[in-house]
Amino acid sequence: DSGVTQTPKHLITATGQRVTLRCSPRSGDLSVYWYQQSLDQGLQFLIQYYNGEERAKGNILERFSAQQFPDLHSELNLSSLELGDSALYFCASSGPGLAGTDTQYFGPGTRLTVL
Amino acid sequence: AQKVTQAQTEISVVEKEDVTLDCVYETRDTTYYLFWYKQPPSGELVFLIRRNSFDEQNEISGRYSWNFQKSTSSFNFTITASQVVDSAVYFCALSEGSGTSGTYKYIFGTGTRLKVLA
């Protein structure tokens, strides 16, 4: 158990809908990272927050957005969902060091299925 | 452009054999970080190692060792005396960005599936 929690574990929805994925980092970690893993795109970094501020951005679509709240939990919002958004979404957190350089601890992931 | 290449899609070895997973990267930055992650069949991602571009020392952790060579832009991972529990997909990743602003980007390789047979 990495100490990072993600909810829900599974999510099934329809095209065009909007969903919110939630992540709680390990106690004391300030950075939260979001990743998408799909069969055709592999593992992709989406976005990183450090202590409430966006710190790094990867291949995140405009239909996707994220935020990190004062209590450091993070939410990833996916809107206007398409079939191709079906994937496993991981959240990771890392400690108080300089963002991007610390060990990352991963949550169990949220499997999103868009029908 | 940044790129991480894991040319070995799948490797099968017999238990107790040594195996090396290759990772070649491309970056124009002088400051960057390299990572290895493990994804066992259960699906979770496990962080294995992080190495910064200024530290070319090889690292050993138990049966795992990493060989970082800037001259060949490689960061290879060796498992000694492999075990069935090592069966997983292993990802190499590159993180580069601005140390001043603290912003980084992460690029993953496509992964190498390692099968260790009993």
Side-chain angles (χ1 to χ4, degrees), chain A residues 28-35 45 47-57 68 72 92-105, chain B residues 29 31-35 37 47 50 52 94-106:
Chain A
D29 284 357
L30 298 181
S31 279
V32 170
Y33 311 75
W34 287 98
Y35 297 87
F45 165 70
I47 198 164
Q48 176 198 357
Y49 280 83
Y50 178 76
N51 204 20
E53 293 186 6
E54 183 182 305
R55 192 49 79 92
K57 212 165 186 176
Q68 186 179 27
L72 301 176
S93 73
S94 66
L98 177 64
T101 65
D102 284 340
T103 300
Q104 294 182 33
Y105 296 88
Chain B
D29 279 14
T31 302
Y32 54 90
Y33 295 83
L34 295 164
F35 304 79
Y37 299 85
F47 171 96
R50 174 193 77 246
N52 76 54
L94 165 70
S95 167
E96 59 171 33
S98 166
T100 306
S101 67
T103 59
Y104 292 85
K105 286 189 176 181
Y106 300 84

Side-chain angles (χ1 to χ4, degrees), chain A residues 66-82:
Chain A
Q67 54 184 326
Q68 186 179 27
F69 294 87
D71 66 352
L72 301 176
H73 90 272
S74 176
E75 292 181 357
L76 178 67
N77 299 297
L78 316 175
S79 61
S80 302
L81 286 168
E82 302 175 0

Side-chain angles (χ1 to χ4, degrees), chain B residues 6-26:
Chain B
Q6 294 181 257
Q8 304 152 308
T9 307
E10 186 167 313
I11 301 175
S12 291
V13 298
V14 176
E15 211 171 14
K16 296 184 185 175
E17 283 185 2
D18 298 347
V19 58
T20 295
L21 310 182
D22 298 332
C23 174
V24 174
Y25 62 93
E26 291 177 30

Side-chain angles (χ1 to χ4, degrees), chain B residues 6 21 36-38 48 77 79 86 88-91 111-112 114:
Chain B
Q6 294 181 257
L21 310 182
W36 275 95
Y37 299 85
K38 173 182 179 180
L48 294 177
F77 172 33
I79 302 175
D86 296 326
V89 180
Y90 291 86
F91 293 95
T112 296
L114 173 66

Side-chain angles (χ1 to χ4, degrees), chain A:
Chain A
D1 185 351
S2 66
V4 177
T5 59
Q6 287 186 250
T7 56
K9 202 168 182 178
H10 300 278
L11 198 48
I12 301 174
T13 188
T15 54
Q17 295 298 304
R18 172 190 165 97
V19 297
T20 297
L21 311 184
R22 183 187 169 103
C23 169
S24 293
R26 291 187 329 149
S27 176
D29 284 357
L30 298 181
S31 279
V32 170
Y33 311 75
W34 287 98
Y35 297 87
Q36 178 195 57
Q37 186 174 32
S38 61
L39 283 174
D40 54 343
Q41 298 278 353
L43 189 57
Q44 291 204 87
F45 165 70
L46 296 179
I47 198 164
Q48 176 198 357
Y49 280 83
Y50 178 76
N51 204 20
E53 293 186 6
E54 183 182 305
R55 192 49 79 92
K57 212 165 186 176
N59 299 326
I60 188 166
L61 299 173
E62 284 191 13
R63 300 184 286 107
F64 296 0
S65 65
Q67 54 184 326
Q68 186 179 27
F69 294 87
D71 66 352
L72 301 176
H73 90 272
S74 176
E75 292 181 357
L76 178 67
N77 299 297
L78 316 175
S79 61
S80 302
L81 286 168
E82 302 175 0
L83 294 177
D85 297 327
S86 295
L88 191 52
Y89 290 85
F90 286 105
C91 166
S93 73
S94 66
L98 177 64
T101 65
D102 284 340
T103 300
Q104 294 182 33
Y105 296 88
F106 284 80
T110 292
R111 181 165 295 284
L112 173 66
T113 302
V114 182
L115 301 174

